[in-house]
Amino acid sequence: SQNLKAILGLADVFFATQRYEEASQRYLDALLINDKLVKAHYNLGTIFYYQKHMDAAKEHLIKSLQLYPKLLGAYLILAQIYQLSSQTRESIKLLSKAIELAPRNPILYQKLALLFLHMGQFDSAIKVLHQAISLSPVDVESNVLLAFAQHAMNNDGEAFLAMDTALRACNQSHNPVDACRVLLQSYSYFKSQVEKNSTPETDGTE
């Protein structure tokens, strides 16, 4: 109906301009008219995620995927929500589905590898990182993560090769100093993420 189109149009404008309170109210109004609006559910899930209302975010993101199972962004946000609650296995399932939808995105493989590292599943992390590197051989972040995983498996020779690749990629960049700074930041970030492996993980049954 024209009324529904007007509500959604206004909601989209509010969402695009980050006026999230007003956007969420319009999307909720629209769902009262038609509860099968994929974009409304997805954007509401996104808004609630930003606002840290995780249960509401999950509800709307899951609904958006029930209506449209190929919505990549919903898998990514849900994976992050589950990871924040230490439900790493659920996050792995969601990221694996995202990779099915976007198999040539090396960043998704990096995210999945980090989850495997959290679980201590180093073989799986290495397998996933080789897939990422096959897509982007001199990617700094993938090679840094691979060095971590190989070292954890006592494959120090492979770990050295991965770190050497990352360093050579930095050296061959247009701005080696900035590239090496990014490498150091990546190293520090990934180290902090891997060290969180000491945090107990739930199995998703709360």
Side-chain angles (χ1 to χ4, degrees):
S1 69
Q2 290 299 114
N3 185 42
L4 179 58
K5 289 181 180 178
I7 293 171
L8 286 172
L10 192 55
D12 289 344
V13 170
F14 285 140
F15 183 80
T17 54
Q18 300 182 11
R19 294 167 64 179
Y20 293 135
E21 289 291 343
E22 293 148 301
S24 61
Q25 187 55 59
R26 299 311 187 285
Y27 284 129
L28 289 169
D29 290 343
L31 289 173
L32 290 175
I33 299 171
N34 180 354
D35 67 353
K36 292 181 170 56
L37 299 168
V38 175
K39 186 176 182 181
H41 282 296
Y42 175 67
N43 285 356
L44 274 171
T46 303
I47 290 169
F48 288 136
Y49 170 71
Y50 289 154
Q51 295 175 335
K52 302 187 186 306
H53 303 317
M54 298 307 183
D55 288 340
K58 281 198 293 186
E59 177 186 346
H60 286 286
L61 291 167
I62 289 170
K63 183 66 175 177
S64 73
L65 287 173
Q66 290 171 345
L67 295 168
Y68 185 67
K70 295 184 178 181
L71 192 55
L72 178 64
Y75 289 106
L76 298 179
I77 299 173
L78 276 171
Q80 182 64 20
I81 290 172
Y82 281 113
Q83 181 60 16
L84 288 171
S85 60
S86 298
Q87 297 181 47
T88 308
R89 290 183 181 87
E90 289 301 316
S91 293
I92 287 173
K93 291 177 186 176
L94 290 160
L95 271 179
S96 297
K97 185 64 180 179
I99 285 172
E100 289 178 20
L101 296 174
R104 299 198 61 78
N105 186 336
I107 294 174
L108 298 184
Y109 292 97
Q110 291 172 15
K111 291 179 180 292
L112 182 57
L114 264 177
L115 295 181
F116 282 129
L117 289 174
H118 276 299
M119 298 282 289
Q121 297 180 11
F122 302 114
D123 280 337
S124 296
I126 289 169
K127 181 179 178 181
V128 168
L129 288 165
H130 279 308
Q131 291 176 287
I133 290 168
S134 72
L135 296 170
S136 183
V138 294
D139 182 81
V140 171
E141 287 81 1
S142 293
N143 279 287
V144 170
L145 271 180
L146 182 59
F148 269 119
Q150 295 286 15
H151 177 68
M153 293 291 291
N154 295 317
N155 299 330
D156 289 337
E158 295 295 328
F160 174 82
L161 288 174
M163 190 58 74
D164 183 64
T165 299
L167 287 168
R168 283 189 287 111
C170 289
N171 190 50
Q172 293 167 8
S173 72
H174 294 299
N175 193 328
V177 174
D178 284 347
C180 286
R181 185 177 296 116
V182 170
L183 171 61
L184 181 59
Q185 290 170 347
S186 297
Y187 176 86
S188 300
Y189 170 74
F190 290 138
K191 185 172 186 291
S192 71
Q193 294 298 302
V194 172
E195 286 172 347
K196 288 181 182 178
N197 194 33
S198 59
T199 302
E201 186 226 351
T202 66
D203 61 5
T205 56
E206 303 185 57

Short mmCIF file of all heavy atoms in Angstrom, two decimals, residues 128-168:
data_model
loop_
_atom_site.label_atom_id
_atom_site.label_comp_id
_atom_site.label_asym_id
_atom_site.label_seq_id
_atom_site.Cartn_x
_atom_site.Cartn_y
_atom_site.Cartn_z
N VAL A 128 41.72 -23.18 6.76
CA VAL A 128 40.95 -22.01 6.35
C VAL A 128 41.87 -20.90 5.87
O VAL A 128 41.60 -20.22 4.86
CB VAL A 128 40.06 -21.53 7.52
CG1 VAL A 128 39.48 -20.16 7.24
CG2 VAL A 128 38.95 -22.53 7.77
N LEU A 129 42.99 -20.71 6.54
CA LEU A 129 43.92 -19.65 6.16
C LEU A 129 44.60 -19.93 4.83
O LEU A 129 44.87 -19.01 4.06
CB LEU A 129 44.96 -19.45 7.27
CG LEU A 129 44.39 -18.77 8.52
CD1 LEU A 129 45.33 -18.93 9.69
CD2 LEU A 129 44.09 -17.30 8.25
N HIS A 130 44.85 -21.19 4.53
CA HIS A 130 45.39 -21.52 3.21
C HIS A 130 44.39 -21.14 2.11
O HIS A 130 44.78 -20.70 1.03
CB HIS A 130 45.73 -23.01 3.13
CG HIS A 130 47.05 -23.35 3.75
ND1 HIS A 130 48.22 -22.69 3.43
CD2 HIS A 130 47.40 -24.29 4.68
CE1 HIS A 130 49.23 -23.20 4.13
NE2 HIS A 130 48.75 -24.17 4.90
N GLN A 131 43.10 -21.28 2.41
CA GLN A 131 42.08 -20.86 1.44
C GLN A 131 42.11 -19.35 1.26
O GLN A 131 42.00 -18.85 0.13
CB GLN A 131 40.69 -21.31 1.91
CG GLN A 131 40.48 -22.82 1.86
CD GLN A 131 39.13 -23.22 2.43
OE1 GLN A 131 38.91 -23.18 3.64
NE2 GLN A 131 38.22 -23.60 1.57
N ALA A 132 42.25 -18.63 2.36
CA ALA A 132 42.34 -17.17 2.27
C ALA A 132 43.56 -16.74 1.47
O ALA A 132 43.48 -15.84 0.61
CB ALA A 132 42.40 -16.56 3.68
N ILE A 133 44.68 -17.38 1.73
CA ILE A 133 45.93 -17.00 1.06
C ILE A 133 45.91 -17.40 -0.42
O ILE A 133 46.51 -16.73 -1.25
CB ILE A 133 47.13 -17.63 1.81
CG1 ILE A 133 47.28 -16.93 3.17
CG2 ILE A 133 48.42 -17.50 1.00
CD1 ILE A 133 48.22 -17.61 4.13
N SER A 134 45.16 -18.46 -0.75
CA SER A 134 45.04 -18.81 -2.16
C SER A 134 44.30 -17.72 -2.93
O SER A 134 44.52 -17.54 -4.13
CB SER A 134 44.29 -20.15 -2.31
OG SER A 134 42.91 -20.00 -2.01
N LEU A 135 43.45 -16.96 -2.24
CA LEU A 135 42.73 -15.86 -2.87
C LEU A 135 43.56 -14.58 -2.88
O LEU A 135 43.43 -13.76 -3.79
CB LEU A 135 41.41 -15.60 -2.11
CG LEU A 135 40.39 -16.72 -2.13
CD1 LEU A 135 39.26 -16.44 -1.16
CD2 LEU A 135 39.83 -16.92 -3.54
N SER A 136 44.40 -14.40 -1.85
CA SER A 136 45.21 -13.18 -1.73
C SER A 136 46.55 -13.57 -1.11
O SER A 136 46.74 -13.46 0.10
CB SER A 136 44.47 -12.17 -0.86
OG SER A 136 45.19 -10.96 -0.77
N PRO A 137 47.50 -14.04 -1.96
CA PRO A 137 48.74 -14.66 -1.45
C PRO A 137 49.59 -13.79 -0.55
O PRO A 137 50.26 -14.31 0.34
CB PRO A 137 49.48 -15.04 -2.74
CG PRO A 137 48.42 -15.16 -3.78
CD PRO A 137 47.39 -14.13 -3.41
N VAL A 138 49.59 -12.48 -0.77
CA VAL A 138 50.47 -11.62 0.05
C VAL A 138 49.66 -10.81 1.06
O VAL A 138 50.11 -9.77 1.54
CB VAL A 138 51.32 -10.69 -0.83
CG1 VAL A 138 52.30 -11.49 -1.66
CG2 VAL A 138 50.44 -9.81 -1.72
N ASP A 139 48.47 -11.31 1.41
CA ASP A 139 47.67 -10.62 2.41
C ASP A 139 48.37 -10.69 3.77
O ASP A 139 48.69 -11.77 4.26
CB ASP A 139 46.28 -11.26 2.51
CG ASP A 139 45.39 -10.55 3.51
OD1 ASP A 139 44.82 -9.52 3.13
OD2 ASP A 139 45.31 -11.01 4.65
N VAL A 140 48.60 -9.53 4.35
CA VAL A 140 49.37 -9.46 5.59
C VAL A 140 48.64 -10.17 6.73
O VAL A 140 49.22 -11.01 7.44
CB VAL A 140 49.65 -7.99 5.97
CG1 VAL A 140 50.25 -7.90 7.37
CG2 VAL A 140 50.59 -7.36 4.96
N GLU A 141 47.36 -9.85 6.93
CA GLU A 141 46.63 -10.39 8.07
C GLU A 141 46.53 -11.91 8.00
O GLU A 141 46.71 -12.60 9.02
CB GLU A 141 45.23 -9.77 8.14
CG GLU A 141 45.21 -8.34 8.61
CD GLU A 141 45.54 -7.34 7.50
OE1 GLU A 141 45.75 -7.79 6.36
OE2 GLU A 141 45.59 -6.14 7.78
N SER A 142 46.25 -12.45 6.82
CA SER A 142 46.13 -13.91 6.69
C SER A 142 47.44 -14.60 7.03
O SER A 142 47.47 -15.65 7.70
CB SER A 142 45.69 -14.30 5.27
OG SER A 142 44.37 -13.86 5.02
N ASN A 143 48.55 -14.03 6.57
CA ASN A 143 49.84 -14.65 6.83
C ASN A 143 50.26 -14.52 8.29
O ASN A 143 50.89 -15.43 8.85
CB ASN A 143 50.91 -14.05 5.90
CG ASN A 143 50.86 -14.67 4.51
OD1 ASN A 143 51.27 -15.81 4.32
ND2 ASN A 143 50.35 -13.93 3.54
N VAL A 144 49.89 -13.41 8.94
CA VAL A 144 50.17 -13.27 10.37
C VAL A 144 49.40 -14.33 11.16
O VAL A 144 49.95 -15.00 12.05
CB VAL A 144 49.81 -11.86 10.87
CG1 VAL A 144 49.86 -11.80 12.40
CG2 VAL A 144 50.77 -10.84 10.29
N LEU A 145 48.13 -14.50 10.84
CA LEU A 145 47.33 -15.52 11.52
C LEU A 145 47.89 -16.91 11.26
O LEU A 145 47.92 -17.76 12.16
CB LEU A 145 45.88 -15.45 11.04
CG LEU A 145 44.94 -14.53 11.79
CD1 LEU A 145 43.55 -14.59 11.18
CD2 LEU A 145 44.87 -14.89 13.26
N LEU A 146 48.31 -17.15 10.01
CA LEU A 146 48.87 -18.46 9.68
C LEU A 146 50.14 -18.72 10.50
O LEU A 146 50.37 -19.85 10.96
CB LEU A 146 49.17 -18.55 8.19
CG LEU A 146 49.73 -19.89 7.69
CD1 LEU A 146 48.76 -21.03 7.99
CD2 LEU A 146 50.01 -19.82 6.19
N ALA A 147 50.95 -17.69 10.68
CA ALA A 147 52.16 -17.85 11.50
C ALA A 147 51.79 -18.25 12.93
O ALA A 147 52.42 -19.13 13.52
CB ALA A 147 52.96 -16.55 11.49
N PHE A 148 50.74 -17.62 13.49
CA PHE A 148 50.27 -18.00 14.82
C PHE A 148 49.88 -19.47 14.87
O PHE A 148 50.28 -20.22 15.76
CB PHE A 148 49.05 -17.16 15.21
CG PHE A 148 49.36 -15.89 15.93
CD1 PHE A 148 49.00 -14.67 15.38
CD2 PHE A 148 49.99 -15.90 17.17
CE1 PHE A 148 49.28 -13.49 16.05
CE2 PHE A 148 50.26 -14.72 17.85
CZ PHE A 148 49.90 -13.51 17.28
N ALA A 149 49.05 -19.86 13.89
CA ALA A 149 48.53 -21.22 13.89
C ALA A 149 49.63 -22.25 13.71
O ALA A 149 49.66 -23.28 14.40
CB ALA A 149 47.47 -21.36 12.80
N GLN A 150 50.56 -21.98 12.80
CA GLN A 150 51.66 -22.91 12.57
C GLN A 150 52.55 -23.02 13.81
O GLN A 150 53.01 -24.11 14.18
CB GLN A 150 52.48 -22.48 11.35
CG GLN A 150 51.73 -22.52 10.02
CD GLN A 150 51.53 -23.94 9.50
OE1 GLN A 150 51.68 -24.93 10.20
NE2 GLN A 150 51.17 -24.04 8.23
N HIS A 151 52.80 -21.90 14.45
CA HIS A 151 53.62 -21.92 15.67
C HIS A 151 52.93 -22.75 16.76
O HIS A 151 53.59 -23.51 17.49
CB HIS A 151 53.88 -20.51 16.16
CG HIS A 151 54.64 -20.45 17.45
ND1 HIS A 151 55.96 -20.83 17.56
CD2 HIS A 151 54.25 -20.07 18.70
CE1 HIS A 151 56.35 -20.68 18.81
NE2 HIS A 151 55.33 -20.24 19.52
N ALA A 152 51.61 -22.59 16.86
CA ALA A 152 50.87 -23.35 17.88
C ALA A 152 50.96 -24.85 17.64
O ALA A 152 50.85 -25.65 18.58
CB ALA A 152 49.41 -22.91 17.89
N MET A 153 51.14 -25.23 16.37
CA MET A 153 51.28 -26.65 16.01
C MET A 153 52.74 -27.09 16.00
O MET A 153 53.06 -28.19 15.56
CB MET A 153 50.66 -26.88 14.62
CG MET A 153 49.16 -26.69 14.56
SD MET A 153 48.26 -27.97 15.44
CE MET A 153 48.58 -29.38 14.37
N ASN A 154 53.62 -26.22 16.51
CA ASN A 154 55.07 -26.50 16.53
C ASN A 154 55.66 -26.65 15.13
O ASN A 154 56.69 -27.30 14.96
CB ASN A 154 55.37 -27.74 17.38
CG ASN A 154 55.02 -27.53 18.84
OD1 ASN A 154 55.31 -26.48 19.41
ND2 ASN A 154 54.39 -28.53 19.45
N ASN A 155 55.00 -26.05 14.15
CA ASN A 155 55.54 -26.01 12.79
C ASN A 155 56.30 -24.70 12.60
O ASN A 155 55.86 -23.80 11.89
CB ASN A 155 54.40 -26.11 11.76
CG ASN A 155 53.62 -27.41 11.88
OD1 ASN A 155 54.16 -28.43 12.29
ND2 ASN A 155 52.35 -27.37 11.54
N ASP A 156 57.42 -24.58 13.29
CA ASP A 156 58.11 -23.30 13.31
C ASP A 156 58.65 -22.88 11.95
O ASP A 156 58.71 -21.69 11.64
CB ASP A 156 59.25 -23.34 14.34
CG ASP A 156 58.72 -23.37 15.77
OD1 ASP A 156 57.57 -22.94 15.97
OD2 ASP A 156 59.45 -23.83 16.66
N GLY A 157 59.04 -23.85 11.12
CA GLY A 157 59.49 -23.51 9.78
C GLY A 157 58.38 -22.88 8.96
O GLY A 157 58.58 -21.86 8.29
N GLU A 158 57.18 -23.48 9.02
CA GLU A 158 56.03 -22.92 8.30
C GLU A 158 55.62 -21.58 8.88
O GLU A 158 55.22 -20.67 8.16
CB GLU A 158 54.86 -23.91 8.36
CG GLU A 158 55.09 -25.22 7.66
CD GLU A 158 55.25 -25.04 6.16
OE1 GLU A 158 54.63 -24.11 5.60
OE2 GLU A 158 55.99 -25.83 5.55
N ALA A 159 55.73 -21.45 10.20
CA ALA A 159 55.40 -20.18 10.84
C ALA A 159 56.34 -19.08 10.37
O ALA A 159 55.91 -17.95 10.07
CB ALA A 159 55.48 -20.32 12.37
N PHE A 160 57.63 -19.41 10.26
CA PHE A 160 58.60 -18.43 9.78
C PHE A 160 58.28 -18.02 8.35
O PHE A 160 58.33 -16.83 8.01
CB PHE A 160 60.02 -19.00 9.86
CG PHE A 160 61.05 -18.10 9.24
CD1 PHE A 160 61.58 -17.04 9.96
CD2 PHE A 160 61.47 -18.29 7.92
CE1 PHE A 160 62.51 -16.19 9.39
CE2 PHE A 160 62.40 -17.44 7.35
CZ PHE A 160 62.93 -16.39 8.08
N LEU A 161 57.95 -18.98 7.50
CA LEU A 161 57.63 -18.66 6.10
C LEU A 161 56.42 -17.73 6.01
O LEU A 161 56.42 -16.80 5.19
CB LEU A 161 57.37 -19.95 5.31
CG LEU A 161 58.58 -20.82 5.00
CD1 LEU A 161 58.14 -22.12 4.34
CD2 LEU A 161 59.56 -20.07 4.10
N ALA A 162 55.41 -17.99 6.82
CA ALA A 162 54.22 -17.14 6.80
C ALA A 162 54.55 -15.72 7.25
O ALA A 162 54.13 -14.73 6.62
CB ALA A 162 53.14 -17.74 7.69
N MET A 163 55.32 -15.59 8.33
CA MET A 163 55.69 -14.26 8.80
C MET A 163 56.62 -13.57 7.80
O MET A 163 56.52 -12.36 7.57
CB MET A 163 56.36 -14.34 10.18
CG MET A 163 56.55 -12.99 10.85
SD MET A 163 55.00 -12.07 11.08
CE MET A 163 54.28 -12.99 12.44
N ASP A 164 57.49 -14.35 7.18
CA ASP A 164 58.39 -13.80 6.17
C ASP A 164 57.60 -13.25 4.99
O ASP A 164 57.91 -12.17 4.45
CB ASP A 164 59.37 -14.87 5.69
CG ASP A 164 60.39 -14.33 4.70
OD1 ASP A 164 61.18 -13.45 5.08
OD2 ASP A 164 60.37 -14.78 3.52
N THR A 165 56.55 -13.97 4.59
CA THR A 165 55.69 -13.49 3.49
C THR A 165 55.02 -12.17 3.87
O THR A 165 54.94 -11.24 3.06
CB THR A 165 54.61 -14.54 3.17
OG1 THR A 165 55.25 -15.75 2.75
CG2 THR A 165 53.70 -14.05 2.06
N ALA A 166 54.54 -12.08 5.11
CA ALA A 166 53.90 -10.85 5.57
C ALA A 166 54.89 -9.69 5.56
O ALA A 166 54.57 -8.58 5.11
CB ALA A 166 53.32 -11.05 6.96
N LEU A 167 56.11 -9.94 6.02
CA LEU A 167 57.12 -8.88 6.06
C LEU A 167 57.54 -8.45 4.65
O LEU A 167 57.72 -7.27 4.38
CB LEU A 167 58.34 -9.35 6.84
CG LEU A 167 58.13 -9.45 8.37
CD1 LEU A 167 59.29 -10.20 9.01
CD2 LEU A 167 57.98 -8.06 8.97
N ARG A 168 57.68 -9.43 3.75
CA ARG A 168 58.05 -9.09 2.37
C ARG A 168 56.94 -8.30 1.69
O ARG A 168 57.20 -7.39 0.90
CB ARG A 168 58.38 -10.35 1.58
CG ARG A 168 59.77 -10.92 1.92
CD ARG A 168 60.20 -12.06 0.99
NE ARG A 168 59.46 -13.27 1.28
CZ ARG A 168 58.54 -13.81 0.48
NH1 ARG A 168 58.22 -13.21 -0.65
NH2 ARG A 168 57.95 -14.93 0.81
#
